[in-house]
Amino acid sequence: MEFIVYEQDGFVGTITINRPKALNALNSQVLEELNAALDQVDLENTRCLIITGAGEKSFVAGADIGEMSSLTKEEGEAFGKKGNDVFRKIETFPIPVIAAVNGFALGGGCELSMSCDIRICSDTAMFGQPEVGLGITPGFGGTQRLARIIPVGKAKEMIYGARNIKADEAYRIGLVNAVYPLEELLPAAQKMAAGIAKNAPIAVRNCKKAINDGLDASMDDALVIEEKLFGDCFESADQKEGMSAFLEKRKDKNFINK
Ligand code: DAK
C-alpha cells in the first residue's frame, strides 16, 4: 500500500494515514487502501485499533480538494459513498477504534475521527468542517455524527460558520476525551488500547455493538439489544475465566477471545 501503514503490537493494531505531503488528505486511493487495511485486520488476534496520521502536523486535512474540484454530480455522490462506506465500516468495526488526532482534523479528517469510538488529540490539533466555505456540505457523515457527539447548537455553529476549533475547545465540548502534548499522544493511545485489550474481547465487542445499535433504537428495543448481547457472553470461556478469577481472588486473567 502506498498511503496506509499497518502495524501490529500484541493485540493492538495501528493504521497510519501516510500522505504527509498533502497533510494526509483523503483521495480515492487513500480511501480504497484504508478500506483494504480494515479488511486485512486479523480479528482473532486484534482487540483494539488506533488510527492516526503520519507526520507532526496533520491527522487528515480533509478529502482531497484537488480530486474533488472537477467532479460531476454523479462522481461527487460516488466519492461521498466511498468515504461513507469506509467510515461506516470503522464505526461498526467489531473491535473498538481510537482516533489519535495529531494535528489538523478538517472536513473528512474530522469525519474520520468521528467514525472512531474514542478521540484523543494533541494540543496542536484543530477540528472543523470547513466545507461550506468550499461550496459543498460535509459529505462523509459530518452533518450526522458531529450533531450526535457534541450539542446540536455547537455542531450547527461549527458547520454553518466553517469554524475550526482548537484542542482545548474540542475537549471542553466533548469532541475529544483527552488532550496530550504531541509526543505523548501515541503512547497515550497505546496505553488506552492496551487497557481495552486486556479485557474479555467478546464482552468488549458486545459492548460496542450494544451501545451503537442501542443509540439507534428506542429504549425498549435498546434494552432487548443489550439483553441479547449480555446473554451471548455466557458459556464463553472468557466469561468462565473472568468470573472464576473473581471467585478465586485471582488478579491474573487469561482471556482467549473464545
Ligand atoms: N486536499 C488536498 N490537498 C491538501 C489538502 C486537502 N484537503 N489540505 C492540504 N493539502 C495540501 C496543500 O495543497 C499543500 O500542497 P502543496 O501546495 O505543498 O502541493 C500541502 O497539503 C500543505 O498544505 P498547506 O501549504 O496549505 O499547509 P498550511 O500549513 O499552510 O495550511 C491547512 C494547512 C490544513 C490549514 C490548509 O492546508 C488547509 O486549509 N487545507 C484544506 C483544509 C480543508 O478545507 N479541508 C476540508 C476539505 S473538504 C463529499 C465528500 C467528501 C467531502 C464533502 C463532500 N460529497 C461527495 C458530498 C469532504 C470534504 C472535505 O473534507
Side-chain angles (χ1 to χ4, degrees), residues 24 31 45 50 53 72 134 160 170 231 240 258:
N24 305 321
L31 290 171
N45 299 301
I50 297 168
T72 62
L134 295 164
Y160 301 164
K240 294 193 193 320
K258 289 205 161 45

Side-chain angles (χ1 to χ4, degrees), residues 52-91:
T52 193
E56 301 203 328
K57 199 167 161 185
S58 182
F59 174 69
V60 166
D64 191 298
I65 299 172
E67 181 175 336
M68 283 192 299
S69 62
S70 58
L71 298 183
T72 62
K73 274 185 198 289
E74 289 72 28
E75 289 166 344
E77 206 177 311
F79 186 64
K81 180 165 166 44
K82 191 173 274 187
N84 272 335
D85 286 353
V86 66
F87 288 8
R88 185 70 177 144
K89 187 176 277 188
I90 292 168
E91 189 167 48

